[in-house]
């Protein structure tokens, strides 16, 4: 599933409930799911990691939708041409400059 299609799916499923909950409450759900993903990684439970990664992405998608952000456009703008810092694919940045840009 493409990123934009995924965001539309999550909106169709949950956006009314997400709007009613608000971004603050939604942020709490997101961070709870991040914690569940961390636990699954710590335990090395691949099935659980798979499930929790999907949940984290779903909640991130919701946060983007509530903020008026189109995820597909956001990732294309930032990563579409390679590493945002060095422009290379794969990244040629040193570990000191961090592999994930801020
Ligand atoms: Zn780089």
């Amino acid at each position: 599933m493409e990123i934009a299609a995924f965001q539309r799916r999550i909106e169709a499923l949950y956006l009314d409930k997400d709007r009613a909950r608000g971004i603050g409450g939604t942020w709490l759900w997101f961070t709870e799911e991040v914690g569940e993903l961390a636990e699954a990684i710590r335990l090395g439970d691949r099935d659980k990691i798979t499930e929790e990664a999907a949940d984290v992405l779903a909640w991130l998608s919701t946060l983007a939708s509530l903020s008026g952000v189109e995820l597909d456009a956001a990732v294309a703008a930032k990563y579409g041409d390679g590493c945002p810092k060095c422009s290379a694919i794969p990244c040629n940045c040193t570990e000191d400059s961090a592999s994930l840009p801020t």
Side-chain angles (χ1 to χ4, degrees):
M1 183 178 282
E2 300 292 331
I3 293 172
F6 178 74
Q7 190 168 358
R8 296 294 85 75
R9 173 66 56 84
I10 296 302
E11 287 172 352
L13 287 167
Y14 304 118
L15 191 56
D16 289 344
K17 291 178 181 176
D18 293 335
R19 279 198 181 112
R21 181 186 317 104
I23 199 161
T26 300
W27 175 259
L28 291 177
W29 277 100
F30 171 72
T31 56
E32 183 174 313
E33 292 296 340
V34 169
E36 291 176 7
L37 175 59
E39 181 182 34
I41 291 169
R42 181 176 58 80
L43 297 174
D45 184 338
R46 191 172 189 290
D47 289 343
K48 191 74 172 167
I49 293 169
T50 300
E51 178 184 339
E52 297 303 339
D55 288 343
V56 167
L57 190 59
W59 284 105
L60 178 64
S61 178
T62 289
L63 287 169
S65 294
L66 290 176
S67 302
V69 169
E70 186 62 39
L71 276 179
D72 186 74
V75 296
K78 187 146 192 181
Y79 297 99
D81 294 327
C83 172
K85 287 186 177 176
C86 70
S87 300
I89 302 173
C91 168
N92 284 326
C93 296
T94 63
E95 281 297 315
D96 289 345
S97 59
S99 57
L100 284 178
T102 56

Coordinates of all heavy atoms in Angstrom, one line a residue:
M1 N 0.8 -1.2 0.0 CA 0.0 0.0 0.0 C 0.9 1.2 0.0 O 1.8 1.3 0.8 CB -0.9 0.0 1.2 CG -1.9 1.1 1.3 SD -3.0 1.0 2.8 CE -4.1 -0.2 2.2
E2 N 0.6 2.2 -0.9 CA 1.3 3.4 -1.0 C 1.0 4.3 0.2 O -0.1 4.2 0.9 CB 1.0 4.2 -2.3 CG 1.3 3.4 -3.5 CD 2.8 3.2 -3.7 OE1 3.6 4.0 -3.3 OE2 3.1 2.1 -4.4
I3 N 1.9 5.2 0.5 CA 1.7 6.1 1.7 C 0.5 6.9 1.7 O -0.3 7.0 2.6 CB 3.0 7.0 1.9 CG1 4.2 6.2 2.2 CG2 2.7 8.1 3.0 CD1 5.5 7.0 2.2
A4 N 0.2 7.5 0.5 CA -1.1 8.4 0.5 C -2.3 7.5 0.6 O -3.2 7.9 1.3 CB -1.1 9.1 -0.9
A5 N -2.3 6.3 0.0 CA -3.4 5.4 0.1 C -3.6 5.0 1.6 O -4.7 4.8 2.1 CB -3.3 4.2 -0.8
F6 N -2.5 4.7 2.2 CA -2.5 4.3 3.6 C -3.1 5.4 4.5 O -4.0 5.2 5.3 CB -1.1 4.0 4.1 CG -1.1 3.6 5.6 CD1 -1.6 2.4 6.0 CD2 -0.6 4.5 6.5 CE1 -1.6 2.0 7.4 CE2 -0.6 4.2 7.9 CZ -1.1 2.9 8.3
Q7 N -2.7 6.7 4.3 CA -3.2 7.8 5.0 C -4.7 8.0 4.8 O -5.5 8.2 5.7 CB -2.5 9.1 4.7 CG -2.8 10.3 5.6 CD -1.8 11.4 5.5 OE1 -0.9 11.4 4.7 NE2 -2.1 12.5 6.3
R8 N -5.2 7.8 3.5 CA -6.6 7.9 3.2 C -7.4 6.7 4.0 O -8.5 7.0 4.5 CB -6.9 7.8 1.7 CG -6.3 8.9 0.9 CD -6.9 10.3 1.1 NE -6.3 11.0 2.2 CZ -5.1 11.6 2.1 NH1 -4.3 11.5 1.0 NH2 -4.6 12.2 3.2
R9 N -6.8 5.6 4.0 CA -7.4 4.4 4.7 C -7.6 4.7 6.2 O -8.7 4.5 6.7 CB -6.6 3.1 4.4 CG -7.1 1.9 5.2 CD -8.5 1.4 4.8 NE -8.5 1.1 3.4 CZ -8.1 0.0 2.9 NH1 -7.7 -1.0 3.6 NH2 -8.2 -0.2 1.6
I10 N -6.5 5.2 6.8 CA -6.6 5.5 8.2 C -7.6 6.6 8.5 O -8.4 6.5 9.5 CB -5.2 5.8 8.8 CG1 -4.3 4.6 8.7 CG2 -5.3 6.3 10.2 CD1 -4.8 3.3 9.4
E11 N -7.7 7.6 7.6 CA -8.7 8.7 7.8 C -10.1 8.1 7.7 O -11.0 8.4 8.4 CB -8.4 9.7 6.7 CG -7.2 10.6 7.0 CD -6.9 11.5 5.8 OE1 -7.5 11.4 4.7 OE2 -6.0 12.4 6.0
A12 N -10.3 7.2 6.7 CA -11.6 6.6 6.5 C -12.0 5.8 7.7 O -13.2 5.8 8.1 CB -11.6 5.8 5.2
L13 N -11.1 5.1 8.3 CA -11.4 4.3 9.4 C -11.6 5.1 10.7 O -12.5 4.7 11.4 CB -10.2 3.3 9.7 CG -10.0 2.1 8.7 CD1 -8.7 1.5 8.9 CD2 -11.2 1.1 8.9
Y14 N -10.8 6.1 10.9 CA -10.7 6.6 12.3 C -10.8 8.2 12.4 O -10.8 8.7 13.5 CB -9.4 6.2 13.0 CG -9.2 4.7 13.0 CD1 -8.1 4.1 12.4 CD2 -10.1 3.9 13.7 CE1 -7.9 2.7 12.4 CE2 -9.9 2.5 13.7 CZ -8.8 1.9 13.1 OH -8.6 0.6 13.1
L15 N -10.8 8.9 11.3 CA -10.6 10.3 11.4 C -11.7 11.0 12.3 O -11.3 11.9 13.1 CB -10.5 11.0 10.1 CG -10.0 12.5 10.1 CD1 -8.7 12.6 10.8 CD2 -9.9 13.1 8.7
D16 N -12.9 10.6 12.2 CA -13.9 11.2 13.0 C -13.7 11.0 14.5 O -13.8 12.0 15.3 CB -15.3 10.6 12.6 CG -15.8 11.1 11.3 OD1 -15.2 12.1 10.7 OD2 -16.7 10.5 10.7
K17 N -13.3 9.8 14.9 CA -13.0 9.5 16.3 C -11.7 10.3 16.7 O -11.6 10.8 17.8 CB -12.7 8.0 16.5 CG -14.0 7.2 16.3 CD -13.7 5.7 16.5 CE -14.9 4.9 16.4 NZ -14.6 3.4 16.5
D18 N -10.7 10.3 15.7 CA -9.5 11.0 16.1 C -9.7 12.5 16.3 O -9.1 13.1 17.2 CB -8.4 10.8 14.9 CG -8.0 9.3 14.9 OD1 -8.1 8.6 15.9 OD2 -7.6 8.9 13.8
R19 N -10.6 13.1 15.4 CA -10.9 14.5 15.6 C -11.5 14.8 16.9 O -11.3 15.8 17.6 CB -11.8 15.0 14.5 CG -11.0 15.3 13.2 CD -11.9 16.2 12.3 NE -11.2 16.5 11.0 CZ -11.6 16.0 9.9 NH1 -12.6 15.3 9.7 NH2 -10.9 16.3 8.8
A20 N -12.5 13.9 17.3 CA -13.2 14.1 18.6 C -12.2 13.9 19.8 O -12.3 14.6 20.8 CB -14.3 13.0 18.7
R21 N -11.2 13.0 19.6 CA -10.2 12.8 20.7 C -9.3 14.0 20.8 O -8.9 14.4 21.9 CB -9.4 11.5 20.5 CG -8.4 11.2 21.6 CD -7.5 10.0 21.2 NE -8.3 8.9 20.6 CZ -8.3 8.6 19.3 NH1 -7.6 9.3 18.5 NH2 -9.0 7.6 18.9
G22 N -8.9 14.5 19.7 CA -8.0 15.7 19.6 C -6.6 15.2 19.5 O -6.2 14.0 19.8
I23 N -5.7 16.2 19.2 CA -4.3 15.8 18.9 C -3.6 15.4 20.2 O -2.7 14.5 20.1 CB -3.6 16.9 18.1 CG1 -2.4 16.4 17.4 CG2 -3.3 18.1 19.0 CD1 -1.8 17.2 16.3
G24 N -3.9 16.0 21.3 CA -3.3 15.7 22.5 C -3.5 14.2 22.9 O -2.6 13.5 23.2
G25 N -4.7 13.8 22.9 CA -5.1 12.4 23.2 C -4.5 11.4 22.2 O -4.0 10.3 22.6
T26 N -4.5 11.9 21.0 CA -4.0 11.0 19.9 C -2.5 10.9 20.1 O -1.9 9.8 19.9 CB -4.3 11.6 18.5 OG1 -5.7 11.7 18.4 CG2 -3.7 10.8 17.4
W27 N -1.8 11.9 20.5 CA -0.4 11.8 20.8 C -0.1 10.8 21.9 O 0.9 10.0 21.8 CB 0.2 13.2 21.2 CG 1.6 13.1 21.6 CD1 2.1 13.1 22.9 CD2 2.8 13.0 20.8 NE1 3.5 13.0 22.9 CE2 3.9 13.0 21.6 CE3 2.9 13.0 19.4 CZ2 5.2 12.9 21.0 CZ3 4.2 12.9 18.8 CH2 5.3 12.8 19.7
L28 N -0.9 10.8 22.9 CA -0.7 9.8 24.0 C -0.9 8.4 23.4 O -0.1 7.5 23.8 CB -1.7 10.0 25.1 CG -1.5 11.3 25.9 CD1 -2.7 11.4 27.0 CD2 -0.2 11.2 26.6
W29 N -1.8 8.1 22.6 CA -2.0 6.8 21.9 C -0.8 6.4 21.1 O -0.3 5.3 21.1 CB -3.2 6.8 21.1 CG -4.5 6.5 21.8 CD1 -5.4 7.4 22.2 CD2 -5.0 5.2 22.3 NE1 -6.5 6.8 22.9 CE2 -6.2 5.5 22.9 CE3 -4.5 3.9 22.2 CZ2 -7.0 4.4 23.5 CZ3 -5.3 2.9 22.7 CH2 -6.5 3.2 23.4
F30 N -0.3 7.4 20.4 CA 0.9 7.2 19.5 C 2.1 6.8 20.4 O 2.8 5.8 20.1 CB 1.2 8.5 18.7 CG 2.5 8.5 18.0 CD1 2.7 7.7 16.9 CD2 3.6 9.3 18.4 CE1 3.9 7.7 16.2 CE2 4.8 9.3 17.8 CZ 5.0 8.5 16.6
T31 N 2.3 7.5 21.4 CA 3.5 7.2 22.2 C 3.4 5.9 23.0 O 4.3 5.2 23.2 CB 3.8 8.3 23.3 OG1 2.7 8.6 24.1 CG2 4.2 9.6 22.5
E32 N 2.1 5.5 23.3 CA 1.9 4.2 23.9 C 2.3 3.1 22.9 O 2.9 2.1 23.3 CB 0.4 4.1 24.3 CG 0.1 2.8 25.0 CD -1.3 2.7 25.6 OE1 -1.7 3.7 26.2 OE2 -2.0 1.7 25.3
E33 N 1.9 3.3 21.7 CA 2.2 2.3 20.6 C 3.7 2.3 20.4 O 4.3 1.2 20.1 CB 1.5 2.6 19.3 CG 0.0 2.4 19.4 CD -0.5 1.0 19.7 OE1 0.3 0.1 19.4 OE2 -1.6 0.8 20.1
V34 N 4.4 3.4 20.5 CA 5.9 3.4 20.3 C 6.5 2.6 21.4 O 7.4 1.8 21.2 CB 6.4 4.9 20.3 CG1 7.9 4.9 20.5 CG2 6.0 5.6 19.1
G35 N 5.9 2.7 22.6 CA 6.4 1.9 23.8 C 6.2 0.4 23.5 O 7.0 -0.4 23.8
E36 N 5.0 0.1 23.0 CA 4.7 -1.3 22.7 C 5.7 -1.9 21.6 O 6.1 -3.0 21.7 CB 3.3 -1.5 22.2 CG 2.3 -1.3 23.4 CD 0.9 -1.3 23.0 OE1 0.6 -1.6 21.8 OE2 0.0 -1.0 23.9
L37 N 6.0 -1.0 20.6 CA 7.0 -1.4 19.6 C 8.4 -1.6 20.2 O 9.1 -2.6 19.9 CB 7.1 -0.4 18.5 CG 8.1 -0.6 17.4 CD1 7.9 -1.9 16.7 CD2 8.1 0.6 16.4
A38 N 8.8 -0.8 21.2 CA 10.0 -0.9 21.8 C 10.1 -2.2 22.6 O 11.1 -2.9 22.6 CB 10.2 0.3 22.8
E39 N 9.0 -2.6 23.3 CA 9.0 -3.8 24.0 C 9.1 -5.0 23.1 O 9.9 -6.0 23.4 CB 7.7 -3.9 24.8 CG 7.6 -5.2 25.6 CD 6.3 -5.3 26.4 OE1 5.3 -4.9 25.9 OE2 6.4 -5.9 27.5
A40 N 8.4 -5.0 22.0 CA 8.5 -6.1 21.0 C 9.9 -6.2 20.5 O 10.4 -7.4 20.3 CB 7.5 -5.8 19.9
I41 N 10.6 -5.1 20.2 CA 12.0 -5.1 19.7 C 12.9 -5.7 20.8 O 13.7 -6.6 20.5 CB 12.4 -3.7 19.3 CG1 11.7 -3.3 18.0 CG2 14.0 -3.7 19.0 CD1 11.9 -1.8 17.6
R42 N 12.7 -5.3 22.0 CA 13.5 -5.8 23.1 C 13.3 -7.3 23.3 O 14.3 -8.0 23.6 CB 13.1 -5.0 24.4 CG 13.9 -5.5 25.7 CD 13.5 -4.6 26.9 NE 12.1 -4.7 27.3 CZ 11.6 -5.7 27.9 NH1 12.3 -6.8 28.3 NH2 10.3 -5.7 28.2
L43 N 12.1 -7.8 23.1 CA 11.9 -9.2 23.3 C 12.2 -10.0 22.0 O 12.2 -11.2 22.0 CB 10.4 -9.4 23.6 CG 9.9 -8.8 24.9 CD1 8.4 -8.9 25.0 CD2 10.6 -9.4 26.1
G44 N 12.5 -9.3 20.9 CA 12.9 -10.0 19.7 C 11.7 -10.7 19.1 O 11.9 -11.7 18.4
D45 N 10.5 -10.3 19.3 CA 9.3 -11.0 18.9 C 8.9 -10.4 17.5 O 8.2 -9.3 17.4 CB 8.1 -10.7 19.9 CG 6.9 -11.5 19.6 OD1 6.6 -11.8 18.4 OD2 6.1 -11.7 20.5
R46 N 9.3 -11.1 16.4 CA 9.1 -10.5 15.1 C 7.6 -10.3 14.8 O 7.3 -9.3 14.1 CB 9.8 -11.4 14.1 CG 9.9 -10.7 12.7 CD 10.7 -11.5 11.7 NE 10.9 -10.7 10.5 CZ 10.0 -10.4 9.6 NH1 8.8 -10.8 9.8 NH2 10.3 -9.7 8.5
D47 N 6.8 -11.2 15.1 CA 5.3 -11.0 14.8 C 4.8 -9.8 15.5 O 4.0 -9.0 14.9 CB 4.5 -12.3 15.2 CG 4.8 -13.5 14.4 OD1 5.3 -13.3 13.2 OD2 4.5 -14.6 14.8
K48 N 5.2 -9.6 16.8 CA 4.7 -8.5 17.5 C 5.3 -7.2 17.0 O 4.7 -6.1 16.9 CB 5.1 -8.6 19.0 CG 4.4 -7.6 19.9 CD 3.0 -7.9 20.1 CE 2.4 -7.0 21.2 NZ 0.9 -7.1 21.2
I49 N 6.6 -7.2 16.6 CA 7.3 -6.0 16.0 C 6.5 -5.6 14.7 O 6.2 -4.5 14.5 CB 8.7 -6.3 15.6 CG1 9.6 -6.5 16.9 CG2 9.3 -5.2 14.8 CD1 11.0 -7.1 16.6
T50 N 6.1 -6.6 13.9 CA 5.4 -6.3 12.7 C 4.0 -5.7 13.0 O 3.7 -4.6 12.4 CB 5.1 -7.7 11.9 OG1 6.3 -8.3 11.6 CG2 4.3 -7.4 10.7
E51 N 3.3 -6.2 14.0 CA 2.0 -5.6 14.4 C 2.2 -4.2 14.9 O 1.4 -3.3 14.6 CB 1.4 -6.5 15.4 CG 0.1 -6.0 16.0 CD -0.5 -6.9 17.1 OE1 -0.1 -8.1 17.2 OE2 -1.3 -6.5 17.8
E52 N 3.2 -4.0 15.8 CA 3.3 -2.7 16.5 C 3.9 -1.7 15.5 O 3.5 -0.5 15.6 CB 4.2 -2.9 17.7 CG 3.7 -3.8 18.8 CD 2.3 -3.3 19.3 OE1 1.9 -2.2 19.1 OE2 1.6 -4.2 19.9
A53 N 4.7 -2.1 14.5 CA 5.2 -1.1 13.5 C 4.0 -0.6 12.7 O 3.9 0.6 12.4 CB 6.2 -1.8 12.6
A54 N 3.1 -1.5 12.4 CA 1.9 -1.0 11.7 C 1.0 0.0 12.5 O 0.5 1.0 12.0 CB 1.0 -2.2 11.3
D55 N 0.9 -0.3 13.8 CA 0.2 0.5 14.7 C 0.8 1.9 14.8 O 0.2 2.9 14.8 CB 0.0 -0.1 16.1 CG -0.9 -1.2 16.1 OD1 -1.7 -1.4 15.1 OD2 -0.9 -2.0 17.1
V56 N 2.2 1.9 15.0 CA 2.9 3.2 15.1 C 2.7 4.0 13.8 O 2.4 5.2 13.9 CB 4.4 2.9 15.4 CG1 5.2 4.2 15.2 CG2 4.6 2.4 16.8
L57 N 2.8 3.4 12.7 CA 2.6 4.1 11.4 C 1.2 4.6 11.3 O 1.0 5.7 10.8 CB 2.9 3.2 10.2 CG 3.0 3.9 8.9 CD1 4.1 5.0 8.9 CD2 3.3 2.9 7.8
A58 N 0.2 3.8 11.7 CA -1.2 4.3 11.7 C -1.4 5.5 12.6 O -2.1 6.5 12.2 CB -2.1 3.1 12.1
W59 N -0.9 5.5 13.8 CA -1.0 6.6 14.7 C -0.3 7.8 14.2 O -0.7 9.0 14.3 CB -0.6 6.3 16.1 CG -1.7 5.4 16.8 CD1 -1.6 4.1 17.0 CD2 -3.0 5.9 17.2 NE1 -2.8 3.7 17.6 CE2 -3.6 4.7 17.8 CE3 -3.6 7.1 17.3 CZ2 -4.9 4.8 18.3 CZ3 -4.9 7.2 17.8 CH2 -5.5 6.0 18.3
L60 N 0.9 7.6 13.6 CA 1.7 8.7 13.0 C 0.9 9.3 11.8 O 0.8 10.6 11.7 CB 3.0 8.2 12.5 CG 3.9 9.3 11.8 CD1 4.3 10.4 12.7 CD2 5.1 8.7 11.2
S61 N 0.2 8.5 11.1 CA -0.6 9.0 10.0 C -1.7 9.8 10.5 O -2.1 10.9 9.9 CB -1.2 7.8 9.2 OG -2.0 8.2 8.1
T62 N -2.4 9.4 11.6 CA -3.4 10.2 12.2 C -2.9 11.5 12.7 O -3.6 12.5 12.5 CB -4.1 9.4 13.4 OG1 -4.8 8.3 12.8 CG2 -5.0 10.2 14.2
L63 N -1.8 11.5 13.3 CA -1.2 12.8 13.8 C -1.0 13.8 12.6 O -1.2 15.0 12.7 CB 0.1 12.6 14.6 CG -0.1 12.0 16.0 CD1 1.2 11.5 16.5 CD2 -0.8 12.9 16.9
A64 N -0.5 13.2 11.5 CA -0.3 14.0 10.3 C -1.6 14.6 9.8 O -1.7 15.8 9.5 CB 0.5 13.2 9.2
S65 N -2.6 13.7 9.7 CA -3.9 14.2 9.2 C -4.5 15.2 10.1 O -5.0 16.2 9.6 CB -4.9 13.0 9.1 OG -4.4 12.0 8.1
L66 N -4.4 15.1 11.4 CA -5.0 16.1 12.3 C -4.2 17.4 12.2 O -4.8 18.4 12.6 CB -4.9 15.5 13.8 CG -5.9 14.4 14.1 CD1 -5.7 13.9 15.5 CD2 -7.4 14.8 13.9
S67 N -3.0 17.3 11.7 CA -2.1 18.5 11.6 C -2.2 19.1 10.2 O -1.5 20.1 9.9 CB -0.7 18.2 12.0 OG -0.6 17.7 13.3
G68 N -2.9 18.5 9.3 CA -3.0 19.0 7.9 C -1.8 18.6 7.1 O -1.5 19.4 6.2
V69 N -1.1 17.6 7.5 CA 0.2 17.2 6.8 C -0.1 16.0 5.9 O -0.7 15.0 6.4 CB 1.3 16.9 7.8 CG1 2.5 16.2 7.1 CG2 1.7 18.1 8.5
E70 N 0.3 16.1 4.7 CA 0.2 14.9 3.7 C 1.5 14.2 3.8 O 2.6 14.7 3.4 CB 0.0 15.5 2.3 CG -0.3 14.4 1.3 CD -1.5 13.5 1.6 OE1 -2.5 14.1 2.1 OE2 -1.5 12.3 1.4
L71 N 1.5 13.0 4.4 CA 2.7 12.2 4.6 C 3.5 11.9 3.3 O 4.7 12.0 3.3 CB 2.4 10.9 5.3 CG 2.2 10.9 6.8 CD1 1.9 9.5 7.3 CD2 3.5 11.4 7.5
D72 N 2.8 11.5 2.3 CA 3.5 11.2 1.0 C 4.3 12.4 0.5 O 5.5 12.2 0.2 CB 2.4 10.8 0.0 CG 3.1 10.3 -1.3 OD1 3.6 9.2 -1.3 OD2 3.1 11.0 -2.3
A73 N 3.7 13.6 0.6 CA 4.4 14.8 0.1 C 5.6 15.1 1.1 O 6.7 15.5 0.6 CB 3.5 15.9 0.0
A74 N 5.4 14.9 2.4 CA 6.4 15.2 3.4 C 7.6 14.3 3.2 O 8.8 14.8 3.1 CB 5.8 15.0 4.8
V75 N 7.4 13.0 3.0 CA 8.6 12.1 2.8 C 9.3 12.3 1.5 O 10.5 12.3 1.3 CB 8.3 10.7 3.1 CG1 7.8 10.5 4.5 CG2 7.2 10.1 2.1
A76 N 8.4 12.6 0.5 CA 9.0 12.9 -0.9 C 9.9 14.1 -0.8 O 11.0 14.2 -1.4 CB 7.9 13.0 -1.9
A77 N 9.4 15.2 -0.2 CA 10.1 16.4 -0.1 C 11.4 16.3 0.7 O 12.5 16.8 0.3 CB 9.3 17.5 0.6
K78 N 11.4 15.4 1.7 CA 12.6 15.3 2.6 C 13.6 14.3 2.1 O 14.8 14.5 2.2 CB 12.2 15.1 4.0 CG 13.3 15.1 5.0 CD 13.0 15.7 6.3 CE 14.2 16.0 7.1 NZ 13.9 16.5 8.5
Y79 N 13.0 13.1 1.6 CA 13.9 12.0 1.3 C 13.9 11.6 -0.1 O 14.6 10.7 -0.5 CB 13.5 10.8 2.2 CG 13.7 11.0 3.7 CD1 12.6 11.4 4.5 CD2 15.0 11.0 4.2 CE1 12.8 11.7 5.8 CE2 15.2 11.3 5.6 CZ 14.1 11.6 6.4 OH 14.3 11.9 7.7
G80 N 13.1 12.3 -0.9 CA 12.9 11.9 -2.3 C 14.2 12.0 -3.2 O 14.3 11.2 -4.2
D81 N 15.1 12.8 -2.8 CA 16.3 13.0 -3.6 C 17.5 12.4 -2.9 O 18.6 12.8 -3.2 CB 16.5 14.5 -3.9 CG 15.4 15.1 -4.8 OD1 14.9 14.3 -5.6 OD2 15.1 16.3 -4.6
G82 N 17.3 11.6 -1.9 CA 18.4 11.0 -1.2 C 18.5 11.6 0.2 O 17.6 12.2 0.7
C83 N 19.7 11.4 0.8 CA 19.9 11.9 2.2 C 19.7 13.4 2.2 O 20.3 14.1 1.4 CB 21.3 11.5 2.7 SG 21.7 12.3 4.3
P84 N 18.9 14.0 3.1 CA 18.7 15.4 3.1 C 20.0 16.2 3.4 O 20.1 17.4 3.1 CB 17.7 15.6 4.3 CG 17.0 14.3 4.4 CD 18.0 13.3 4.1
K85 N 21.0 15.5 4.1 CA 22.2 16.3 4.4 C 23.2 16.1 3.3 O 23.8 17.1 2.8 CB 22.8 15.7 5.7 CG 22.0 16.2 6.9 CD 22.7 15.8 8.2 CE 21.9 16.3 9.4 NZ 22.5 15.8 10.6
C86 N 23.5 14.9 2.8 CA 24.6 14.7 1.8 C 24.1 14.4 0.4 O 24.9 14.3 -0.5 CB 25.5 13.6 2.3 SG 24.8 12.0 2.2
S87 N 22.8 14.2 0.3 CA 22.1 13.9 -1.0 C 22.5 12.6 -1.6 O 22.0 12.3 -2.7 CB 22.4 15.0 -2.1 OG 21.9 16.3 -1.6
A88 N 23.3 11.8 -0.9 CA 23.7 10.5 -1.5 C 22.7 9.4 -1.1 O 22.0 9.5 -0.2 CB 25.1 10.1 -1.0
I89 N 22.7 8.3 -2.0 CA 21.9 7.1 -1.7 C 22.9 5.9 -2.0 O 23.2 5.7 -3.1 CB 20.7 7.0 -2.7 CG1 19.8 8.2 -2.5 CG2 20.0 5.7 -2.4 CD1 18.6 8.2 -3.5
P90 N 23.4 5.2 -0.9 CA 23.1 5.4 0.5 C 23.8 6.6 1.0 O 24.7 7.1 0.4 CB 23.6 4.1 1.1 CG 24.7 3.7 0.2 CD 24.2 4.1 -1.1
C91 N 23.4 7.1 2.2 CA 23.9 8.2 2.9 C 25.4 8.0 3.1 O 25.9 7.0 3.5 CB 23.2 8.3 4.2 SG 24.0 9.5 5.4
N92 N 26.2 9.1 2.9 CA 27.6 9.1 3.1 C 28.0 10.0 4.3 O 29.2 10.2 4.5 CB 28.3 9.7 1.9 CG 28.4 8.7 0.7 OD1 28.5 7.5 1.0 ND2 28.3 9.2 -0.5
C93 N 27.0 10.4 5.1 CA 27.3 11.2 6.3 C 28.1 10.3 7.3 O 27.9 9.1 7.3 CB 26.0 11.7 6.9 SG 25.0 12.8 6.0
T94 N 28.9 11.0 8.1 CA 29.6 10.3 9.1 C 28.7 10.0 10.3 O 27.6 10.7 10.4 CB 30.8 11.1 9.6 OG1 30.3 12.3 10.2 CG2 31.8 11.4 8.5
E95 N 29.0 9.1 11.1 CA 28.2 8.8 12.3 C 28.0 10.1 13.2 O 27.0 10.3 13.8 CB 28.7 7.7 13.1 CG 28.5 6.3 12.5 CD 27.0 6.0 12.5 OE1 26.2 6.3 13.5 OE2 26.5 5.5 11.5
D96 N 29.0 10.9 13.2 CA 29.0 12.2 14.0 C 27.8 13.1 13.5 O 27.2 13.8 14.3 CB 30.3 12.9 13.9 CG 31.4 12.2 14.6 OD1 31.1 11.3 15.4 OD2 32.6 12.6 14.4
S97 N 27.5 13.0 12.2 CA 26.4 13.9 11.8 C 25.1 13.2 11.8 O 24.1 13.7 11.4 CB 26.7 14.4 10.3 OG 26.9 13.3 9.4
A98 N 25.1 12.0 12.3 CA 23.8 11.2 12.5 C 23.2 10.7 11.2 O 23.2 11.5 10.3 CB 22.8 11.9 13.4
S99 N 22.8 9.5 11.2 CA 22.2 8.9 9.9 C 20.8 9.4 9.7 O 20.3 9.5 8.6 CB 22.3 7.4 10.0 OG 21.6 6.9 11.1
L100 N 20.1 9.8 10.8 CA 18.7 10.3 10.6 C 18.7 11.8 10.9 O 19.0 12.2 12.0 CB 17.8 9.6 11.6 CG 17.3 8.2 11.2 CD1 16.4 7.6 12.2 CD2 16.7 8.2 9.8
P101 N 18.5 12.6 9.8 CA 18.6 14.0 10.0 C 17.4 14.5 10.8 O 16.4 13.9 10.9 CB 18.5 14.5 8.5 CG 17.9 13.4 7.8 CD 18.2 12.1 8.5
T102 N 17.6 15.7 11.4 CA 16.6 16.3 12.2 C 16.0 17.5 11.4 O 16.4 17.9 10.4 CB 17.2 16.9 13.5 OG1 18.2 17.8 13.1 CG2 17.7 15.8 14.3
Ligands
LIG1 ZN1 23.9 11.6 4.4

